[in-house]
């Protein structure tokens, strides 16, 4: 089977961390891709760096995607994706922008593009439940993600999963099955999903 990776796209609280943990327990090759991060906020799951270093990598053509959110700057570097793939790993990338999912999918491996979705009240409950200090900011991002999806309704997805209706274990199994089957991304009508 050719090298593959997983893109988990969804709003805050949609289950990206939980499903990634389930994927890793299902198959140890699944590995969270740790984005580069410069700025304040959470440090777990990131490789901390400086804005200057991200700019250097961008100038060298090494950045697949970069964005700013929550007062910090983030980047996905081509060499780290390649290093994971070359070591036999299956990178799992967490995305919050369709443009980012599209940019990363240009990296030449077989990507399973997964849209994770949950209603706003579920995001609120999950963010409060995990102790987020910036719940209102995360709800704002939920609305931005919804608008992003509506603006890109023709974006292809390999899978669309309602994480308030499917267990994380089942979602992980569905993702691994799609990866094994080489499921291609296709345009799905998401307008009813995100309302």
């Amino acid at each position: 089977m050719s090298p593959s990776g997983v893109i988990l796209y969804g709003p805050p609280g949609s289950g990206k961390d939980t499903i990634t943990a389930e994927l890793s327990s299902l198959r140890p090759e699944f590995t969270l891709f740790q984005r580069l991060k410069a700025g304040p906020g959470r440090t777990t799951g990131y490789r901390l760096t400086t804005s200057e270093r991200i700019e250097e990598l961008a100038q060298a053509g090494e950045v697949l995607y970069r964005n700013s959110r929550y007062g910090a700057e983030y980047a996905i570097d081509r060499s780290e994706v390649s290093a994971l793939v070359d070591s036999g790993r299956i990178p799992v990338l967490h995305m919050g922008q369709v443009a980012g999912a599209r940019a990363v999918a240009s990296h030449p491996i077989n990507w399973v593009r997964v849209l994770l979705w949950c209603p706003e009240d579920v995001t609120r409950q999950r963010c409060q439940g995990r102790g987020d200090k910036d719940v209102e900011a995360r709800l704002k991002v939920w609305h931005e993600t919804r608008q992003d999806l509506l603006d890109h309704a023709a974006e292809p997805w390999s899978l669309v999963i309602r994480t308030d209706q499917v267990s994380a274990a089942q979602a992980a199994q569905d993702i691994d099955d799609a990866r094994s089957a080489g499921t291609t991304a296709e345009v799905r009508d998401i307008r009813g999903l995100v309302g």
Side-chain angles (χ1 to χ4, degrees), residues 8-99:
L8 298 180
Y9 169 92
S14 60
K16 294 184 285 288
D17 288 334
T18 306
I19 290 170
T20 299
E22 288 288 343
L23 283 166
S24 296
S25 66
L26 190 66
R27 192 180 294 276
E29 297 90 342
F30 283 112
T31 304
L32 172 65
F33 177 86
Q34 296 190 330
R35 285 180 291 168
L36 292 166
K37 179 179 181 179
R42 289 174 52 180
T43 56
T44 305
Y46 298 102
R47 290 174 291 138
L48 301 181
T49 189
T50 64
S51 295
E52 292 78 16
R53 179 64 182 143
I54 290 173
E55 182 58 30
E56 285 173 16
L57 289 168
Q59 293 294 326
E62 270 297 304
V63 173
L64 289 167
Y65 183 70
R66 71 194 279 191
N67 69 297
S68 297
R69 188 165 267 172
Y70 307 119
E73 188 174 358
Y74 304 87
I76 295 171
D77 51 324
R78 183 184 313 276
S79 59
E80 184 68 10
V81 173
S82 295
L84 287 172
V85 170
D86 292 347
S87 68
R89 301 286 183 167
I90 304 167
V92 180
L93 279 70
H94 294 182
M95 301 299 306
Q97 301 83 22
V98 171

Side-chain angles (χ1 to χ4, degrees), residues 4 7 12-13 27 31 37 44 57 62 66 74 84 88-89 96 112 115 117 123 138 148 151 163 177 180 190 192-193:
S4 58
I7 296 169
R27 192 180 294 276
T31 304
K37 179 179 181 179
T44 305
L57 289 168
E62 270 297 304
R66 71 194 279 191
Y74 304 87
L84 287 172
R89 301 286 183 167
V112 179
L115 167 56
W117 190 254
T123 285
R138 291 181 185 275
D148 190 30
D151 291 345
T163 62
D177 290 347
S180 297
I190 52 89
L193 174 75

